[in-house]
């Protein structure tokens, strides 16, 4: 075996197995199996000990409550509770508590938002200086307008350091203002509503070692993980090892774009990792994704990311690792890489890994990494062969299969003219529009007579004559929402505008142009990079923050233009970088609407028509009568990466680090206890000591038989974790609502299931409380079931409670893919507390199956080709399951029903560790016993 042939991601697994080999949790054979990956892939289970854990507060609250309860249980059993601490470094970000109680509408439908000069012919303005009208600020009382968006002191160049580092800016004048009233009110509500939870987190940060709590108002968990928590290489007491992570979210995969191996797991597995246990996974296939060629100059980051995602979805990479190599990888920025890695759930891969290379190191330099640390990091990664060499002569690893993607084949598209799914390649745009004119009226056609297709309608506007024809553009809107939130595409629009203005190009004044940033941060980086005045010069001025053009909130076109369009029956066009382009949506007289990337919106606005071939026809005439082509002003990827790294990335990381260092005023003033054991408040409806450790004993017991169990629920295929344990609002008629009402709460105070994950009484009542749950006993969607001894139809919780009082065990019958969806620990904990002893399904989602074992529920699977229907099971029978004294992986068990039927099932324990966990009553009890 040779390390050089292993994929880089497998090398990380190998290093971890060697470093953590203890002969029990990680054995020498595990390390050798990983080294022999080429022949052992898909055939063996291997342990992996990640370097750290990341949590957000919805999934973190039950984990920390379990730790607090474990301290209590260890103390009651005679152990030392102080020893109960995370063994693995853990970071918990409180980012899921914010609710939008207060909001303000964006400023919309203003005939000329943000300034008056956009109505003047652009040729009359100097191309060297933006000249916006000075207006009093609207809606921001703290901005003492009038002020100037074009003040050169605030826009001194693409790498200006003079811009104040704050995303809270006056939308019209870019002057810093205090946080809007809505922000402050929502934050105040967040702290008031979640005070108990936040006090518990504050207590956790004080008493537990090896855990850090990132307070509210700091940022989203994935952003904080990527921008602040990621180490790339750990250094502990002069010992170096690779950074790696597991998290309680499927989008934990984003960090693989930084060369950090990581993926999402269930809450129960996460808790086990926090206590020093490994996660187990089947040694995966690794699909090598070779990127070759050079991307089209017109292809944006979004084009490249979505194209790679599409190829991977078609390549069937579900359940596999994906690893990128080839000459094209160095063309992707870290932002591109993390976006591709973040989209793993879209194409089903466990993770998509980009090994650390020179692009990564350059990015880390701009994020503020210490130079000495970067030198050590580079030397270490090269020494242990975890650094990817950009040189073509370097040897590439061997992969299970190779998917080749030529970046040269990725071409930019627009969508339209009536539906977003109708994609048109840019180089075919002119001919496609011509075809639309010819086609019969329908999803694409406009049915314009051949003799009228070249009609021209002259129109007088602001003292000048213009000519309108089919394909003329009258609306051009740059919007940075959803698919265009990547900084590179907005910067591309800005840099293109800068080059266009410098070349002498203008936008016709009758075109309704606008710029609607998705947030103040977008305005901030457009301003700090020095491109905002150039966008404004072309008419793309900030109009506000919110959905605007793509929901039809466009100011009316000038009357002269409207009349000319109607008079000549002109097929006028709108171009926008939003998400919706239905016919007539932008304006009733604009029948053709295209979705395009932000820089293409600017380009088409300059051209003034969609009937243009960018390769052979100029956008317009610049200074000295020179023809200017799109290729002359389109920013290169190198230019974009430079501005993005030096303006956007450095600014974002600086802001986040300042937030982390300064802390949070409300958090800092929040009082919390400092006792070793948490002082449980019996009146609390948020934090409660759970009952998982009620039967904690020092020695495991043999698996007990399940005798005469009733079926609590008879479910079909694709039952998701959200069906099992919903995270949304608490319905007023639910069992959880009745519990909270009895505690004196009003419906307004119920909050959500996600917020109350620290209260087992609420979460148990919320188990199977999804109104879309389809139980075959009921025959329609409802969170109900039948309690067979009495024949009553009850809430699932009420029926389970009756079964437990009667001492009757219960099981669940299910179809294929039980436990589908996002990982959710209460989807296993809830059924356990309802008294569910086993689930019998046709197949399972792998993570959820592991969670069932981790809580002490037996996952049983019908034999291939069998299910309740083929076996003649109604679910109304009683079931008895006998476990042998010694279990073995995937052994067959017999089940006997009260009708006398006997059939066999597979006990889905994949290895000895899973059997051990089940014997101990789950991973929580297994770990707790180690402290005794």
């Amino acid at each position: 075996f040779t390390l050089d042939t292993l994929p880089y991601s497998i090398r990380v697994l190998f290093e971890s197995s060697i470093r953590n080999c203890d002969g029990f949790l990680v054995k020498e054979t595990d390390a050798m199996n990983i080294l022999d990956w080429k022949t052992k892939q898909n055939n063996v289970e291997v342990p992996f000990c990640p370097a750290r854990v990341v949590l957000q507060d919805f999934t973190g609250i039950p984990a920390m409550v379990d730790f607090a309860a474990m301290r209590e249980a260890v103390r009651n059993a005679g152990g030392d509770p102080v020893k109960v601490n995370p063994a693995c470094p853990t970071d918990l970000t409180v980012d899921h508590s914010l609710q939008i109680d207060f909001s303000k509408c964006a400023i919309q439908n203003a005939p000329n938002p943000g300034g008056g000069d956009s109505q003047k012919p652009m040729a009359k303005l100097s191309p060297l200086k933006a000249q916006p009208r000075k207006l009093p600020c609207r809606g921001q009382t703290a901005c003492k307008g009038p002020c100037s968006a074009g003040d050169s002191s605030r826009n001194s160049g693409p790498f200006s350091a003079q811009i104040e580092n704050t995303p809270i800016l006056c939308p019209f004048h870019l002057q810093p203002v205090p946080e809007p009233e809505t922000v402050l009110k929502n934050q105040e509500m967040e702290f008031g509503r979640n005070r108990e939870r936040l006090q518990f987190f504050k207590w956790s940060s004080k008493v537990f070692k090896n855990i850090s709590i990132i307070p509210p108002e700091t940022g989203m968990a994935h952003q904080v993980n990527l921008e602040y928590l990621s180490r790339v290489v750990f250094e502990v007491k002069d010992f170096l090892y690779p950074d790696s992570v597991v998290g309680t979210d499927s989008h934990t995969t984003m960090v693989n774009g930084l060369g950090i191996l990581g993926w999402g797991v269930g809450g129960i597995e996460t808790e086990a990792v926090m206590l020093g246990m490994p996660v187990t996974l089947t040694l995966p296939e690794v699909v090598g994704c070779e990127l070759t060629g050079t991307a089209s100059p017109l292809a944006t980051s979004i084009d490249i990311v979505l194209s790679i995602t599409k190829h991977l979805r078609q390549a069937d990479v579900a359940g596999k690792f994906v690893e990128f190599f080839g000459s094209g990888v160095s063309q992707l920025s870290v932002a591109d890489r993390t976006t591709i890695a973040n989209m793993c759930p879209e194409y089903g891969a466990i993770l998509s890994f980009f090994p650390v290379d020179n692009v990564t190191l350059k990015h880390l330099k701009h994020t503020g990494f210490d130079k000495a640390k970067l030198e050590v990091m580079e030397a270490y990664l090269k020494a242990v062969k975890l650094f990817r060499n950009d040189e073509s002569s370097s040897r590439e690893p061997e992969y299970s299969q190779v998917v080749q993607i030529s970046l040269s084949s990725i071409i930019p598209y627009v969508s339209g003219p009536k539906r977003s799914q109708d994609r048109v390649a840019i180089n075919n745009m002119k001919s496609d529009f011509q075809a639309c004119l010819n086609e019969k009226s329908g999803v694409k056609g406009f049915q314009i007579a051949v003799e009228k297709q070249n009609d021209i309608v002259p129109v007088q506007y602001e003292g000048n004559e213009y000519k309108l024809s089919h394909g003329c553009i009258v609306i051009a809107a740059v919007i940075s929402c959803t698919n265009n939130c990547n900084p590179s595409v907005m910067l591309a629009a800005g840099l293109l505008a800068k080059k266009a203005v410098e070349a002498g190009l203008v936008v016709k004044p009758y075109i309704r142009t606008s710029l609607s940033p998705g947030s103040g941060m977008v305005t901030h980086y457009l301003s700090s990079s020095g491109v905002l005045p150039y966008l404004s010069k072309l008419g793309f001025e900030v109009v506000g923050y919110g959905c605007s053009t793509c929901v039809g909130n466009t100011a009316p076109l000038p009357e002269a233009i409207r009349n000319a369009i109607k008079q000549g029956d002109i097929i006028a066009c709108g171009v926008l970088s939003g998400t919706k382009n239905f016919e007539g949506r932008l304006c009733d007289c604009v029948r053709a609407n295209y979705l395009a990337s932000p820089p293409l919106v600017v380009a088409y606005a300059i051209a003034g028509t969609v009937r243009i071939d960018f390769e052979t026809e100029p956008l317009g005439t610049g200074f000295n009568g020179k023809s200017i082509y799109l290729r002359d002003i389109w920013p290169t990827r190198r230019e974009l990466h430079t501005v993005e790294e030096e303006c956007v990335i450095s600014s974002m990381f600086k802001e986040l680090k300042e937030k982390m260092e300064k802390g949070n005023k409300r958090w800092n003033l929040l009082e919390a206890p400092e006792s070793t054991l948490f002082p449980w408040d019996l009146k609390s409806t948020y934090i409660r000591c759970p009952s998982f450790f009620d039967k904690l004993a020092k020695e495991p017991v043999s698996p007990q038989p399940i005798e005469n169990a009733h079926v609590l629920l008879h479910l079909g295929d694709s039952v998701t974790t959200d069906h099992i344990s919903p995270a949304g609002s608490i319905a007023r008629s639910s069992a959880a609502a009745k519990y909270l009402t009895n505690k004196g709460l009003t419906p307004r105070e119920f909050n959500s299931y996600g917020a109350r994950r620290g209260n087992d009484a609420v979460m148990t009542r919320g188990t199977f409380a999804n109104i879309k749950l389809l139980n075959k006993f009921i025959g329609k969607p409802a969170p109900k079931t039948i309690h067979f001894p009495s024949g009553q139809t009850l809430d699932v919780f009420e029926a389970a409670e009756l079964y437990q009082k009667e001492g009757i065990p219960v099981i669940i019958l299910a179809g294929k893919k039980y436990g589908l969806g996002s990982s959710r620990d209460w989807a296993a904990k809830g059924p356990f507390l309802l008294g569910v002893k086993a689930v019998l399904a046709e197949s399972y989602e792998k993570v959820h199956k592991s969670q069932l074992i981790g809580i002490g529920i037996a996952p049983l699977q019908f034999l291939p080709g069998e299910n309740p229907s083929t076996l003649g099971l109604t679910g109304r029978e009683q079931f008895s399951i006998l476990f042998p004294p010694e279990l073995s992986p995937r052994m067959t068990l017999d089940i006997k029903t009260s009708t006398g039927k006997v059939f066999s099932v597979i006990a889905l324990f994949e290895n000895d560790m899973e059997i051990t966990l089940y014997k101990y009553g789950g991973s929580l009890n297994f770990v707790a016993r180690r402290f005794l």
Side-chain angles (χ1 to χ4, degrees), residues 612-683:
I612 180 174
D613 183 338
F614 287 135
E615 283 292 320
T616 60
E617 299 176 63
L619 289 173
T621 303
F623 297 129
N624 303 321
K626 181 182 178 182
S627 293
I628 307 297
Y629 291 83
L630 182 60
R631 58 179 172 269
D632 298 327
I633 63 171
W634 191 272
T636 65
R637 290 186 65 78
R638 183 179 293 276
E639 288 177 300
L640 280 173
H641 288 175
T642 299
V643 176
E644 186 176 359
E645 290 285 349
E646 298 191 16
C647 289
V648 183
I649 301 299
S650 60
S651 175
M652 290 169 63
F653 279 75
K654 180 182 178 182
E655 180 195 358
L656 180 61
K657 288 178 180 179
E658 285 178 352
K659 278 188 175 182
M660 298 291 288
E661 291 167 3
K662 291 180 180 178
N664 178 303
K665 184 176 180 180
R666 288 185 179 86
W667 175 263
N668 294 340
L669 295 175
L670 188 68
E671 295 182 355
E674 298 184 11
S675 53
T676 300
L677 300 178
F678 184 71
W680 307 99
D681 181 358
L682 298 180
K683 296 179 181 179

Side-chain angles (χ1 to χ4, degrees), residues 10-165:
I10 300 299
R11 297 180 198 182
V12 178
L13 295 182
F14 181 58
E15 187 279 340
S16 174
S17 68
I18 294 172
R19 177 165 41 87
N20 294 286
C21 186
D22 62 357
F24 174 56
L25 295 175
V26 182
K27 301 177 181 178
E28 184 178 336
T29 54
D30 295 321
M32 297 309 296
N33 283 336
I34 296 172
L35 189 59
D36 189 21
W37 165 82
K38 190 171 183 180
T39 59
K40 294 295 178 64
Q41 57 185 292
N42 271 344
N43 294 320
V44 295
E45 292 272 325
V46 295
F48 174 58
C49 298
R52 58 190 175 93
V53 171
V54 292
L55 305 167
Q56 38 90 343
D57 51 312
F58 268 19
T59 52
I61 189 76
M64 298 315 300
V65 166
D66 288 347
F67 268 76
M70 191 181 297
R71 280 195 163 195
E72 196 96 16
V74 168
R75 192 275 308 269
N76 293 340
D80 183 1
V82 176
K83 293 181 179 179
V84 179
N85 292 291
C88 182
T90 301
D91 301 293
L92 190 155
T93 303
V94 184
D95 72 334
H96 277 47
S97 298
L98 181 64
Q99 295 184 29
I100 303 176
D101 295 285
F102 301 93
S103 64
K104 289 183 180 179
C105 295
I107 299 172
Q108 299 165 345
N109 288 325
N112 182 28
D117 292 323
S118 62
Q119 295 300 312
K120 297 181 181 180
M122 294 300 292
K124 295 182 179 180
L125 295 176
S126 165
L128 301 178
K129 185 178 180 181
Q131 301 178 12
R133 179 198 293 177
K134 296 182 179 181
L135 291 177
C137 194
R138 309 177 190 179
Q140 299 281 7
T141 56
C143 181
K144 307 302 182 184
C147 46
S148 173
D151 185 347
S152 61
S153 69
R154 295 187 60 77
N155 296 285
S156 58
F159 310 120
S160 170
Q162 299 178 31
I163 305 299
E164 183 172 340
N165 189 23

